Amino acid sequence: MEPTTRSTGPVPVVLPAHDVVVSLGAQEHGFDRLVEWVEAWLVRRPEVSCLLQHGFSRPSPLARSVRRVPRPQLLEQYRQASAVVVQGGPSSIADARGLGIRPLAVPRRPALGEHRDDHQAAVTDLMAQAGEVVRPDSAEELAVLLDLALARPALFRDGPVPHHAVPERPGRPRIAV
């Protein structure tokens, strides 16, 4: 069965490559806030193909929405994508970093019912300060970073990376990608 926006069937053995891959992990709490941020960007970019591994979050009709993608397939999708967006979980970040990808990482917020505690914010902040991830804090920042990733995917891969300032945020260090 092919995946649907209702995510009723298993994932096919081979998924086509996508421009953007968004992985919300298997956390039992929903992360609809990030789905909404991605959708707001996709509405303005209908030419972009997006794979949304949504887990317990809601699927999106604007993306190829799949509840769960087996890890080997998900990693292959990461390799082929221009941009990778992950929840701020350590495993999600580690999977992308293990491939030399600097993902856009958005931590779940317990105050919004997205997680039990605030460890994702702590991990994501630490990784952002080290230049291992880029952390957008709003739908607008995510949109700017996704546009940049599509235009210059090498900025989000390891190797010689020209410095490009991500917008500064009060009280947080500037992250260069």
Side-chain angles (χ1 to χ4, degrees):
M1 226 193 258
E2 283 290 311
T4 67
T5 56
R6 292 192 322 261
S7 306
T8 57
V11 177
V13 174
V14 177
L15 284 168
H18 292 82
D19 301 316
V20 176
V21 176
V22 180
S23 176
L24 304 183
Q27 172 55 239
E28 293 175 358
H29 297 86
F31 199 8
D32 292 347
R33 175 173 56 103
L34 185 50
V35 175
E36 290 167 8
W37 289 8
V38 170
E39 284 180 326
W41 180 74
L42 285 171
V43 164
R44 297 187 307 261
R45 299 296 302 265
E47 74 283 5
V48 173
S49 67
C50 178
L51 174 66
L52 172 65
Q53 180 275 309
H54 61 84
F56 287 87
S57 302
R58 70 172 177 80
S60 171
L62 301 177
R64 183 177 201 147
S65 293
V66 180
R67 183 167 196 169
R68 181 183 171 277
V69 178
R71 187 170 178 268
Q73 287 181 307
L74 186 61
L75 296 180
E76 185 57 31
Q77 287 291 315
Y78 286 1
R79 280 185 195 93
Q80 296 177 38
S82 295
V84 174
V85 180
V86 298
Q87 62 155 348
S91 294
S92 296
I93 292 170
D95 277 348
R97 292 304 299 140
L99 298 172
I101 297 166
R102 188 172 295 109
L104 306 179
V106 180
R108 294 169 177 269
R109 294 177 49 197
L112 299 176
E114 298 167 346
H115 212 300
R116 294 179 305 279
D117 60 37
D118 217 15
H119 80 276
Q120 286 195 358
V123 167
T124 305
D125 283 345
L126 183 65
M127 298 296 283
Q129 289 170 6
E132 299 291 323
V133 304
V134 178
R135 179 184 169 174
D137 284 325
S138 66
E140 296 76 20
E141 280 186 26
L142 179 66
V144 167
L145 291 164
L146 285 170
D147 285 340
L148 180 61
L150 287 181
R152 300 183 61 195
L155 290 175
F156 297 87
R157 306 289 177 173
D158 281 343
V161 179
H163 289 292
H164 174 80
V166 173
E168 289 190 45
R169 295 172 218 122
R172 300 183 72 199
R174 186 174 71 181
I175 301 167
V177 293

